[in-house]
Structures are given as structure tokens and as C-alpha cells.
Amino acid sequence: MVPNARRQVLKWAAGASAVALSPQLMQFAKAADNFLKGPAVKDIPAKQISQHVWMIYSPDGFPTPENQGMMANVTFVVSQKGVILLDTGASVQIGEMAIRMIKRVTHKPVIAIFNSHYHGDHFLGNQAFIEAYGKDIPIYAHPYSITQIKGIEGNAWRNLMERWTNQATAGTKVIPPTHITKQGDIFNYGDVRIKIHHHGIAHTPGDICMQLIEDKITYVGDIVASPISMMVRMLVLLKPIKTCKVLRAIRYGYPVMVNRANNSLKSMVSFWPGSMKPV
């Protein structure tokens, strides 16, 4: 119903534009478009990774109509002060599902969000958390990622997700990060401290990794998605934190660097024994 209804609205708007839409009609068309929303995403219960860290596992690695864009794990941290999100998923519907799963774990509010980079499966869920917990929640990202999301990449990713999922993510709005973070920043949430790592270009020029100091876990987003970034950037990144377990954001449901039986990964593990441990 959503795809057909959306197409009808767009056709109507396109035809009306030929005779010059009045401001009132333009406002109505925009409101109608905003009203259309894809269906809810089915619940995926969160699994506990460590004392403070939980993950909602993605069943797939690419958005489809069947998975409704659920292609990246959603990770959250429960601290004394509240809940911190490490990436929010690919749509408002995924974000809303994550909120339902968080509430099964804790009644604490979401107090901060970190977006690891500017690809849509990591920030398009921001909207759900802002709507549920208020627009004052800080959303942190590298300045490069913020620029890209505020630029053409934000809406480009929103449109791609709608196309790939046959409009299942319809209703999602681009909510860019609001706060800059950089290499070495440390955020204190009481019993949890998060240290930011950025060591240059990896998966994108603006990747950040979040080290959960007390839990000895580092969330790396997508920077293990290619052999080059694994062999070069991850060696640099893991050197100061090599005793940590490593969580990744995406693909095939695995939260650790067990990435598609990649030969480069195997070589890296052999080269640096003990630097990566299964969760």
C-alpha cells in the first residue's frame, strides 16, 4: 500500500507542478509525503556482549524489501547515566525497533548517539531517537561525516534505502550529527568511558571507532569492510588497544572480525596473535 500510495502522490504532485503549484498545494504535497510511512520492522531481541554492551544483530548484509533495510547491527551501551547508541540503523523503523529492544533491557533514557561514518545504514535511524527522547540528544561524528550527511550524501542514502527496500523505509528523515568528535576524545558516562579513535582514511575519510575502556571492547563500524583498511588502518588502530575485543557493525550477523572468511583477516590474526578475540 505504501509504494502505490506514494507513487500516486508523486504523480499528482508532478502533474500539478505543470500548472504551477500554489504554496498551499506545495505544503499539502509535502505533508502527504511525510505522512506516508513504511511498516514496522520485526523485533530482534538484543544480545548482551559484555557488562555494559548490547547488540541487535542484523540478519543480512544488504538492504532488501524482505529485511526492510536491516543490514547493520545496532549496538547500545547501558551506563549509569543512560543509554548510548553506537550507530542507529538504516531507517526510522529500525530505530523504533531498537528503542523497543532497549526498553526490554533498561528503562534508562537514551542520552547520546555516535555515528561511526556517513553511510546511511549507520545514521538514518537517528530520527527515531530524537523523536522519542528529544532533539537535545547530542549526536557525535567526525567533522567529515557531518559535512557529508548535511550535504548530498544524507538524502542520497535516504533515497537509496527507499529504492532498495521498495519503500519499506519510507518516512525516514535525515537527522545529521550535531556535535564534532575527534581522535582521543574521552566521554565519561559514570561507569563507562568511551574513547574515540580516528587514524585517517579507512572505510571512509571520517570513520571513528568507539573504545569502551572498562569493557575492553572497541566498536569499529565498517572499517574492516575491505582488505586494505584491515591490513593498514586496523593495524594502526589496534596497536594501542590490542587487548580489546573488536565489534563490527555490519554483515552476516557477526559482531566481531570474522568477516566472510577473508584471507587478509586470517593473515592479520596470524600476524598479530591475540589482538582480536571472539565475543
Side-chain angles (χ1 to χ4, degrees):
M1 293 180 63
V2 170
N4 291 333
R6 187 178 179 85
R7 280 195 288 269
Q8 290 301 318
V9 170
L10 293 176
K11 286 180 181 178
W12 175 84
S17 65
V19 293
L21 283 175
S22 69
Q24 292 81 5
L25 286 175
M26 292 178 67
Q27 186 175 4
F28 173 79
K30 183 178 180 180
D33 188 59
N34 289 338
F35 175 76
L36 299 172
K37 187 174 180 180
V41 171
K42 69 176 182 179
D43 291 349
I44 303 176
K47 296 184 179 181
Q48 190 167 11
I49 303 300
S50 66
Q51 181 180 355
H52 302 100
V53 181
W54 296 71
M55 181 175 280
I56 300 169
Y57 288 84
S58 167
D60 298 301
F62 192 82
T64 66
E66 291 73 28
N67 65 32
Q68 299 173 258
M70 186 59 186
M71 60 173 285
N73 301 327
V74 178
T75 304
F76 62 94
V77 182
V78 182
S79 73
Q80 285 178 345
K81 295 184 178 180
V83 178
I84 303 101
L85 266 293
L86 309 182
D87 287 337
T88 57
S91 70
V92 64
Q93 292 86 352
I94 291 170
E96 289 168 346
M97 182 272 289
I99 290 170
R100 295 195 298 272
M101 299 305 98
I102 290 170
K103 288 181 177 179
R104 292 185 185 181
V105 172
T106 179
H107 295 296
K108 293 180 179 180
V110 172
I111 59 172
I113 295 169
F114 291 85
N115 294 150
S116 62
H117 60 290
Y118 68 86
H119 292 163
D121 49 316
H122 301 270
F123 74 84
L124 283 171
N126 290 355
Q127 174 189 352
F129 295 91
I130 296 302
E131 291 180 349
Y133 296 99
K135 63 181 180 180
D136 293 331
I137 295 176
I139 306 175
Y140 298 97
H142 187 274
Y144 182 88
S145 297
I146 296 175
T147 299
Q148 297 302 309
I149 294 170
K150 287 183 176 180
I152 62 172
E153 292 287 351
N155 280 316
W157 274 99
R158 181 180 64 83
N159 292 333
L160 282 170
M161 286 297 172
E162 288 192 8
R163 186 176 74 186
W164 287 332
T165 64
N166 194 26
Q167 309 296 318
T169 62
T172 300
K173 299 176 183 177
V174 175
I175 305 296
T178 56
H179 290 64
I180 289 174
T181 190
K182 61 185 184 302
Q183 161 64 22
D185 286 349
I186 296 179
F187 297 83
N188 192 330
Y189 297 104
D191 55 343
V192 172
R193 289 175 297 161
I194 298 178
K195 183 176 181 179
I196 303 300
H197 291 267
H198 171 75
H199 297 276
I201 298 172
H203 181 61
T204 75
D207 295 283
I208 58 171
C209 301
M210 283 66 78
Q211 179 187 357
L212 285 300
I213 296 172
E214 284 72 23
D215 289 60
K216 299 187 183 302
I217 285 179
T218 300
Y219 176 86
V220 300
D222 279 0
I223 72 172
V224 296
S226 66
I228 293 176
S229 68
M230 279 193 292
M231 294 302 294
V232 180
R233 297 299 174 186
M234 283 304 291
L235 286 174
V236 174
L237 171 64
L238 288 175
K239 189 170 184 179
I241 54 175
K242 63 182 180 180
T243 59
C244 290
K245 299 173 184 178
V246 178
L247 298 190
R248 58 185 310 238
I250 189 171
R251 296 183 179 85
Y252 308 110
Y254 292 103
V256 296
M257 294 177 63
V258 185
N259 182 19
R260 290 175 282 181
N262 192 297
N263 289 331
S264 297
L265 174 61
K266 291 179 181 178
S267 299
M268 184 175 168
V269 174
S270 299
F271 174 76
W272 202 343
S275 62
M276 286 153 284
K277 302 176 183 178
V279 174

